[in-house]
């Protein structure tokens, strides 16, 4: 394995270890579910904006810190485009901003763009899925499509 390949794998591992929560803005506010701590959107609500905040979890301190400028610029995937899928199963295609690779910052923007385009097709309790919004990494399937994993 070459040093470049090892760096790419280490950078993907770093990216997948990041903690993050997606903030989903709707045309109508999500409402609490009686007896639960969860929110649900109405069937008419549409996603109007998405923001993913990524942070590094410091295990020893049980605390989070923001990414450094250098971490935002780490090259995670060395490919000119990628296909992405998540909750709705819709696939979107994204071009690398520099035509060659995706950094942490690029992937954050790609995920936000993907969710803005596709989250309206998701369904959780009759409305847009606003519950599964905790970033749990990206993984490539056997067809080469990258899937974003979301937890609740």
């Amino acid at each position: 394995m070459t040093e470049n390949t090892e760096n790419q794998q280490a950078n993907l591992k770093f990216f997948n270890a990041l903690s993050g929560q997606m903030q989903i803005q709707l045309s109508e506010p999500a409402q609490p579910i009686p007896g639960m701590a969860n929110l649900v959107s109405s069937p008419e609500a549409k996603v109007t904006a998405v923001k993913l905040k990524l942070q590094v979890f410091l295990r020893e301190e049980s605390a989070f810190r923001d990414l450094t400028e250098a971490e935002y610029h780490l090259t995670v995937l060395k490919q000119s485009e990628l296909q992405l899928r998540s909750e709705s199963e819709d696939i979107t295609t994204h071009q690398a901003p520099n035509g060659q690779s995706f950094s942490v910052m690029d992937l954050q923007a790609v995920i936000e763009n993907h969710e803005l385009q596709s989250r309206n097709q998701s369904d959780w309790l009759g409305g847009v899925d606003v519950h599964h919004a905790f970033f749990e990494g990206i993984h490539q399937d056997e067809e080469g499509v990258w899937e974003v994993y979301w937890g609740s």
Side-chain angles (χ1 to χ4, degrees), residues 23-28 45-50 115-116 120 128:
Q23 302 298 316
I24 303 170
Q25 193 169 40
L26 299 171
S27 58
E28 301 175 23
K46 298 292 178 206
V47 176
T48 59
V50 170
E115 292 299 327
L116 185 60
N120 281 321
V128 172

Side-chain angles (χ1 to χ4, degrees), residues 109-129:
V110 162
I111 292 168
E112 288 172 342
N113 184 287
H114 171 77
E115 292 299 327
L116 185 60
Q117 291 181 51
S118 67
R119 189 56 78 129
N120 281 321
Q121 282 70 50
S122 67
D123 181 29
W124 193 70
L125 300 177
V128 172
D129 185 350

Side-chain angles (χ1 to χ4, degrees), residues 13-21 53-68 71-72 104 134-136:
K13 185 176 179 177
F14 169 79
F15 183 76
N16 282 339
L18 293 174
S19 294
Q21 182 175 4
K53 175 148 174 78
L54 296 174
Q55 293 185 301
V56 174
F57 179 66
L58 305 169
R59 284 197 187 335
E60 290 180 17
E61 293 89 3
S62 291
F64 294 92
R65 71 161 172 81
D66 291 338
L67 278 78
T68 65
E71 288 168 337
Y72 269 119
V104 169
F134 290 92
F135 180 72
E136 294 184 347

Side-chain angles (χ1 to χ4, degrees), residues 2-152:
T2 67
E3 184 178 331
N4 196 24
T5 303
E6 288 175 6
N7 287 343
Q8 297 304 300
Q9 289 180 342
N11 292 351
L12 178 58
K13 185 176 179 177
F14 169 79
F15 183 76
N16 282 339
L18 293 174
S19 294
Q21 182 175 4
M22 182 173 48
Q23 302 298 316
I24 303 170
Q25 193 169 40
L26 299 171
S27 58
E28 301 175 23
Q31 300 299 315
I33 300 171
M36 298 176 77
N38 304 355
L39 297 175
V40 66
S41 73
S42 72
E44 298 80 28
K46 298 292 178 206
V47 176
T48 59
V50 170
K51 181 69 179 154
L52 175 61
K53 175 148 174 78
L54 296 174
Q55 293 185 301
V56 174
F57 179 66
L58 305 169
R59 284 197 187 335
E60 290 180 17
E61 293 89 3
S62 291
F64 294 92
R65 71 161 172 81
D66 291 338
L67 278 78
T68 65
E69 194 68 28
E71 288 168 337
Y72 269 119
H73 292 288
L74 285 174
T75 298
V76 179
L77 299 176
K78 207 155 176 66
Q79 53 192 75
S80 61
E81 76 172 25
L82 65 81
Q83 292 185 308
L84 200 60
R85 172 189 311 124
S86 64
E87 294 295 311
S88 72
E89 296 297 317
D90 288 351
I91 296 174
T92 57
T93 301
H94 305 269
Q95 304 300 316
N98 67 6
Q100 299 174 4
S101 61
F102 292 87
S103 67
V104 169
M105 185 174 11
D106 297 333
L107 287 175
Q108 181 179 14
V110 162
I111 292 168
E112 288 172 342
N113 184 287
H114 171 77
E115 292 299 327
L116 185 60
Q117 291 181 51
S118 67
R119 189 56 78 129
N120 281 321
Q121 282 70 50
S122 67
D123 181 29
W124 193 70
L125 300 177
V128 172
D129 185 350
V130 295
H131 180 65
H132 297 92
F134 290 92
F135 180 72
E136 294 184 347
I138 61 171
H139 305 277
Q140 194 172 33
D141 70 13
E142 59 280 345
E143 297 167 358
V145 176
W146 289 91
E147 185 161 356
V148 183
Y149 287 31
W150 296 107
S152 55

